[in-house]
């Protein structure tokens, strides 16, 4: 009887331990979950392991590039995105994240090319079109092409109207283009979304002084 109980408890222990190990392994291997939880280095490491066993796994390139950009490893993100695009030249996710990497590297023309390609081909739902338009607007601001920035940032806030930072940048682009009434509208919307936005408050004050 005692031997039977010992065997039973041993089996139960092994089953529980196996389940726990399996669960932990799955958690560690889910690079997308790690990325969404802000554990970028771990996500990158998992993607590296996946690519070591399957160099043509496009999903691993995508998640790795997202994690690399989020971890501010922009040169590595650019390199990996280009590697992924050699395998899957029409993957729009890699196209967009390549644009982000190049944007942060200061490669304005290269980034703009990727974003334009992305917004021309991406689906309307479940995509990063708003983000792409936002970065396009920031590039135009860098180039002092403020009317173009207005158009791109207006498209960005139309896609995702609840991001106060984007409204602030739209207000700034309009302010620089001397479209003061429209700038006030953008700053007001930013303040409506985030009443503690210092940038929006300062921008509105600047523009208001020019209208009086």
């Amino acid at each position: 009887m005692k031997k039977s109980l010992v065997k039973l408890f041993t089996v139960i222990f092994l089953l529980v331990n196996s389940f726990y190990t399996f669960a932990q392994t799955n958690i560690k291997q889910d690079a997308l979950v790690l990325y969404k939880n802000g554990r970028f280095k771990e996500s990158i490491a998992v993607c590296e392991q996946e690519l070591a066993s399957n160099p043509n796994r496009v999903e691993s390139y995508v998640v790795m590039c997202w994690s690399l950009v989020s971890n501010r490893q922009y040169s590595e993100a650019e390199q990996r995105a280009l590697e992924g695009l050699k395998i899957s030249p029409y993957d729009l996710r890699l196209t967009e994240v390549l644009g982000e990497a190049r944007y942060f590297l200061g490669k304005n023309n290269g980034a703009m090319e990727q974003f334009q390609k992305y917004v021309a081909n991406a689906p309307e739902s479940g995509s990063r079109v708003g983000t792409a338009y936002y970065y396009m607007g920031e590039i135009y601001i860098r180039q002092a092409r403020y009317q173009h920035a207005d158009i791109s940032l207006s498209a960005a806030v139309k896609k995702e109207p609840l991001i106060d930072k984007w409204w602030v940048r739209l207000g700034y682009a309009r302010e620089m283009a001397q479209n003061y009434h429209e700038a006030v509208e953008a700053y007001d919307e930013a303040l409506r979304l985030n009443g503690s936005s210092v940038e929006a408050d300062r921008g509105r004050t600047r523009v208001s002084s020019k209208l009086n």
Side-chain angles (χ1 to χ4, degrees), residues 8-21:
L8 178 61
F9 283 125
T10 301
V11 171
I12 292 173
F13 172 79
L14 290 173
L15 286 172
V16 172
N17 187 61
S18 297
F19 177 78
Y20 177 78
T21 302

Side-chain angles (χ1 to χ4, degrees), residues 117-185:
K117 186 185 299 183
Y118 180 77
V119 299
N121 295 285
E124 288 298 314
S125 60
S127 68
R128 293 170 65 84
V129 172
T131 300
Y133 275 125
Y134 164 73
Y135 283 119
M136 289 169 67
E138 289 289 3
I139 291 170
Y140 284 131
I141 287 175
R142 288 177 177 179
Q143 297 171 337
R145 299 168 68 184
Y146 300 116
Q147 298 286 4
H148 285 76
D150 185 342
I151 294 169
S152 293
L153 290 167
S154 293
V157 297
K158 184 177 180 180
K159 291 290 182 183
E160 298 184 49
L162 301 180
I163 303 177
D164 61 281
K165 176 186 174 183
W166 293 7
W167 285 100
V168 171
R169 298 304 285 163
L170 175 58
Y172 179 77
R174 290 173 172 178
E175 180 183 350
M176 292 298 98
Q178 299 183 4
N179 298 326
Y180 299 130
H181 289 286
E182 293 84 356
V184 168
E185 292 175 1

Side-chain angles (χ1 to χ4, degrees), residues 50 59 77 132 149 171 180 209:
E50 292 172 348
E59 295 298 322
Y180 299 130
S209 67

